[in-house]
Amino acid sequence: MIVSIEGIDGAGKNTLVQAIRAELGADAVAFPRYEQSVPAQLAQSALRGQMGDLVDSVYGMATLFALDRYGAAEALREYREGEKIVVLDRYVASNAAYSAARLAGDLQAAREVVRWVQELEFERFGLPVPDLQVLLDTPPREASARAQRRELDDASRTRDRYERDGGLQERTYAAYRDLARRRWAGPWLVASEPQEVVQAVRSLAEER
């Protein structure tokens, strides 16, 4: 069973992932996989301004993030068919939301990139559709404050270009809410309390 946890930077995704792991014995994977995936590492370099103008290409960056997930496709398909739960810290919806947010000034272009992400990752790359997508409904201002505190607490961590862009985070939050409203690529749960999510995942697992 695959559960993806979605939300903007500072929403509390990692905290929720760890809660589900502790209470339900789930496995966990965080995307992007910066420590082991070459496409993710290239994307990270671009976000740090080390890849020329690559970061300015919405489709170029989205492709790198998609290729990162493609490298995990076979392992994820085993969870889709099996009884074990894997909880993902961001998945395909993150690519759709952030890409749409970057093109938010052009509504038609934003809709097209969301459709393109779905076709690329779920159809061409064959990534499994999640059983449940959870949007952590943390307001952008609160999420930004959390992210800033996290950066102060960890001197070795520097936020990348996407994370530092408050306007982008607000637009991404709106894009996520639109995806959830439209039940994009499967069922969604919009929640702000970790225990609500844990219970929903537990119930879904019992139904299977």
Side-chain angles (χ1 to χ4, degrees):
M1 187 171 106
I2 299 174
V3 177
S4 66
I5 308 301
E6 303 289 348
I8 59 176
D9 182 50
K13 297 180 298 299
N14 183 62
T15 299
L16 177 55
V17 168
Q18 297 310 317
I20 296 173
R21 289 188 68 186
E23 296 205 31
L24 302 180
D27 293 338
V29 178
F31 291 107
R33 299 174 302 151
Y34 290 129
E35 295 184 358
Q36 64 189 95
S37 164
V38 171
Q41 291 164 4
L42 291 173
Q44 185 178 51
S45 294
L47 289 169
R48 291 175 174 174
Q50 300 166 352
M51 298 285 287
D53 60 0
L54 175 59
V55 73
D56 296 324
S57 171
V58 174
Y59 280 81
M61 293 298 292
T63 297
L64 288 177
F65 289 124
L67 285 169
D68 171 36
R69 279 182 286 275
Y70 179 58
E74 184 174 351
L76 292 176
R77 282 194 287 269
E78 293 179 4
Y79 284 104
R80 188 66 174 83
E81 302 300 327
E83 296 182 0
K84 185 72 175 179
I85 300 170
V86 64
V87 56
L88 308 178
D89 185 338
R90 286 190 173 149
Y91 193 41
V92 178
S94 66
N95 220 2
Y98 273 87
S99 297
R102 295 188 68 193
L103 294 169
D106 185 333
L107 183 57
Q108 182 61 32
R111 289 174 175 171
E112 288 177 358
V113 79
V114 168
R115 182 169 57 252
W116 174 81
V117 166
Q118 184 169 6
E119 292 174 352
L120 176 67
E121 300 210 42
F122 290 130
E123 297 177 21
R124 180 173 294 185
F125 286 177
L127 284 161
V129 174
D131 296 277
L132 179 65
Q133 299 172 94
V134 177
L135 173 58
L136 269 179
D137 196 23
T138 306
R141 182 171 297 182
E142 179 181 340
S144 177
R146 287 181 185 175
Q148 291 175 15
R149 287 196 299 269
R150 185 175 62 195
E151 188 174 1
L152 290 173
D153 291 340
D154 183 358
S156 66
R157 190 184 191 283
T158 301
R159 288 188 293 168
D160 62 37
R161 177 165 160 178
Y162 287 5
E163 294 169 337
R164 294 193 306 269
D165 187 339
L168 176 63
Q169 294 296 320
E170 291 183 2
R171 296 192 303 275
T172 301
Y173 174 75
Y176 265 131
R177 288 191 63 87
D178 182 63
L179 294 176
R181 178 185 60 79
R182 296 192 289 112
R183 297 177 63 83
W184 183 83
W188 283 77
L189 170 65
V190 179
S192 56
E193 296 298 328
Q195 198 55 43
E196 177 185 359
V197 179
V198 170
Q199 185 55 50
V201 174
R202 179 182 285 112
S203 298
L204 185 60
E206 291 173 351
E207 290 175 3
R208 287 168 57 93

